[in-house]
Amino acid sequence: AGLHVRGRERALQERYIQMNPPPSVGWLVFDIDRAGAAFAWEPAGLPPPTIVAGNPANAHAHLLYGLGTPVIRTNAGRLEPLRFLAAVQGAMTLALDADRAYAMHVCKNPLHPGWRTLTHAGALYDLPQLADYVDLSRRPAPRAEAAGLGRNCSLFDSLRQRAYRAVGEYRGGAPGDWEAFILTTARKANLGFKAPLPDS
């Protein structure tokens, strides 16, 4: 039926929930669609997730890593922490062999009785801690393979480079023309991803 914004009490009763509010990322969530997913972190050499929400029918799971300090993803934040977050998320996705197209928008609600939930008490992480468990020096995947937060950073970089070159043509013109150019350019760049981002 689509996604709907609900009040906290109602949202906590749903099977799926948005773990991160739009302005920040406090949870890294990985979608693993294979049996034994709840323990995929062990052979990957990663620390235990804060929460695992698994499907008892097929043993697929979402692994949730809580961040002690959320990363801001609005204009009030800085790009460097968001890039670092995207790099860590991308490397962990590869290590876990998790779904690369998963955008971390909604996940299995760990409080819903339909899922089997495991928790690791006190397992909250800072990004440098998580980065110690993965190889950030690996070459980034081709743009079409960028996943999760990596798509946001890649799209932003592509768009800003085009905007820097074109802004002079729009100075003094109608603001709506500039906005239309940016939106059209962003949508075209977005089509290069295997799993495009929503307009938001």
Side-chain angles (χ1 to χ4, degrees):
L3 300 176
H4 304 280
V5 176
R6 306 286 191 206
R8 181 186 301 244
E9 286 186 21
R10 171 68 188 277
L12 291 175
Q13 297 173 25
E14 300 292 334
R15 285 177 65 84
Y16 292 89
I17 194 167
Q18 182 179 355
M19 290 297 287
N20 292 304
S24 65
V25 177
W27 293 92
L28 286 176
V29 185
F30 301 93
D31 180 28
I32 304 177
D33 293 327
R34 63 181 182 273
F39 300 100
W41 57 274
E42 291 180 310
L46 296 177
T50 312
I51 303 171
V52 174
N55 185 337
N58 60 17
H60 297 184
H62 282 158
L63 275 57
L64 293 80
Y65 285 82
L67 300 179
T69 304
V71 176
I72 303 301
R73 56 178 170 184
T74 66
N75 292 341
R78 294 181 9 251
L79 189 57
E80 289 78 14
L82 193 59
R83 286 186 193 282
F84 186 38
L85 178 65
V88 170
Q89 183 217 16
M92 290 178 71
T93 297
L94 291 175
L96 291 164
D97 193 22
D99 182 354
R100 295 183 191 191
Y102 177 60
M104 289 196 329
H105 186 60
V106 294
C107 72
K108 294 174 174 67
N109 178 1
L111 300 178
H112 193 277
W115 308 123
R116 183 175 294 140
T117 302
L118 305 171
T119 59
H120 295 95
L124 283 179
Y125 302 95
D126 290 325
L127 281 177
Q129 280 180 290
L130 292 174
D132 285 342
Y133 288 91
V134 291
D135 182 5
L136 297 180
S137 68
R138 292 175 69 180
R139 294 182 67 185
R143 190 173 166 279
E145 294 289 338
L149 293 161
R151 286 178 292 180
N152 289 280
C153 290
S154 180
L155 183 63
F156 175 80
D157 284 338
S158 170
L159 184 59
R160 75 180 172 87
Q161 290 165 7
R162 291 286 311 278
Y164 293 155
R165 290 192 300 266
V167 68
E169 300 171 32
Y170 291 88
R171 277 212 174 90
D177 293 344
W178 174 247
E179 185 177 328
F181 166 76
I182 291 296
L183 186 57
T184 300
T185 305
R187 285 176 172 157
K188 284 180 183 174
N190 193 30
L191 293 175
F193 297 123
K194 284 186 177 178
L197 292 161
D199 268 7
S200 61

